[in-house]
Amino acid sequence: MLKTPTHKSRAPVAMQLTTDLVARTLRVVDDEGPEPNWTPISSRQLDELVSRVEKEAGDEEIWVFAYGSLMWNPGFDVSASEEAVAHGWHRAFSLRIERLRATSDAPGLMLALRSGGSCKGLILKLPCATKRQDLRTLLAREIRYSEVCDMVRWVTVKTSTGTRRALTFWASANQSQLTEKISLDDAAVLIAQACGPAGSCAEYLHRTVSDLVDRNIHDRNLWQLQEMVASKLLAIPED
C-alpha cells in the first residue's frame, strides 16, 4: 500500500525588525505644528468632506478599507469586519511626512494606496448609531490638510461574501510632491531615521507588518522593507 507523502509545514520566519531595534528609533520629539507648506483642514472643510462622503454613501452602510494602521488602530468601535482584497491597488510607503512620526530634519514615510497590483486587508463597518461622528473623526485623522481632500475615495473590494464598496485613503496623483513613487532602498533610509511626537516610522512599519503576520497576510514588499530597515538600524552604532 502506497503511503501518501506528508509535508511538514515550514516554521514562520521571524521578523528581522525586532522590538529592540524599534526601541533604538524612539525618542522624545517636540510637536512642531502642521506640515510645512500645507494648510490644516478647517472645521468647515471637514464638515463639507463628511457631508460629501455621506451623500456618496446614500442609504448604504459605510465600510472602510483598512490596509495599514487602521487595521491595528481603527480609532472607532468597529461594528463588523471582514477580510477583503482591493484589486488594482497596493500598499506602499510613499506618503512623505515631516511631522507626526518625523521632523523636517529627519523626514519619513507613511503608507498609502497606490494603483497597480492587489492589496489584502480588512473592511471595517462604522457603527450606525455613531456613524457621522465616527466618520468625522476618521476623516480628521486621515485628511489633515485641505490640499489633500481628494485623497479619500471609494474602491470596490472582494470579500468571502461578495463585493463591497469601501471608503479608503490613497496616494492621489494630483499630489505628486507628497506621494512620489519611492524605491524600497530610499524608503528604508527614511523609515530608519524618522521619529516624531507620535513615535517612529520604524515602529509604524513594525506594528503594521506584525499585524499582517498575525492575520496571515503576506505583503512581499513590506516584508522586504522591514528586513532592509533592520539592516540599516543594525549598522548604526549604539550610544
Side-chain angles (χ1 to χ4, degrees), residues 98-199:
E98 295 183 30
R99 299 292 186 266
L100 195 63
R101 291 182 179 270
T103 63
S104 294
D105 291 336
L109 296 171
M110 300 286 275
L111 280 173
L113 275 190
R114 294 188 66 89
S115 61
S118 65
C119 180
K120 189 172 183 180
L122 300 176
I123 51 171
L124 312 174
K125 182 181 170 185
L126 293 176
C128 293
T130 57
K131 182 167 66 173
R132 183 175 177 85
Q133 176 185 336
D134 288 336
L135 177 60
R136 194 177 196 279
T137 300
L138 173 66
L139 292 174
R141 163 180 162 170
E142 299 294 330
I143 306 295
R144 295 171 178 266
Y145 303 100
S146 60
E147 291 89 351
V148 297
C149 286
D150 65 336
M151 289 175 65
V152 56
R153 63 167 294 156
W154 298 91
V155 292
T156 300
V157 299
K158 289 187 176 181
T159 74
S160 60
T161 58
T163 60
R164 286 193 185 275
R165 188 174 69 143
L167 197 68
T168 197
F169 304 95
W170 69 303
S172 168
N174 293 334
Q175 305 297 336
S176 59
Q177 64 182 14
L178 186 68
T179 58
E180 296 174 2
K181 186 175 181 180
I182 299 167
S183 70
L184 284 182
D185 191 61
D186 288 343
V189 171
L190 291 168
I191 291 170
Q193 74 176 12
C195 183

Side-chain angles (χ1 to χ4, degrees), residues 44-69:
R44 178 185 58 80
Q45 289 172 316
L46 183 58
D47 287 338
E48 290 174 351
L49 186 57
V50 170
S51 296
R52 190 196 93 192
V53 171
E54 287 182 322
K55 183 178 180 180
E56 291 169 348
D59 296 330
E60 297 179 7
E61 301 165 332
I62 295 181
W63 292 79
V64 179
F65 180 61
Y67 54 87
S69 62

Side-chain angles (χ1 to χ4, degrees), residues 194-215:
C195 183
S200 70
C201 286
E203 177 188 38
Y204 174 88
L205 171 62
H206 179 268
R207 291 196 66 175
T208 300
V209 176
S210 295
D211 187 80
L212 292 174
V213 169
D214 289 344
R215 298 180 191 279

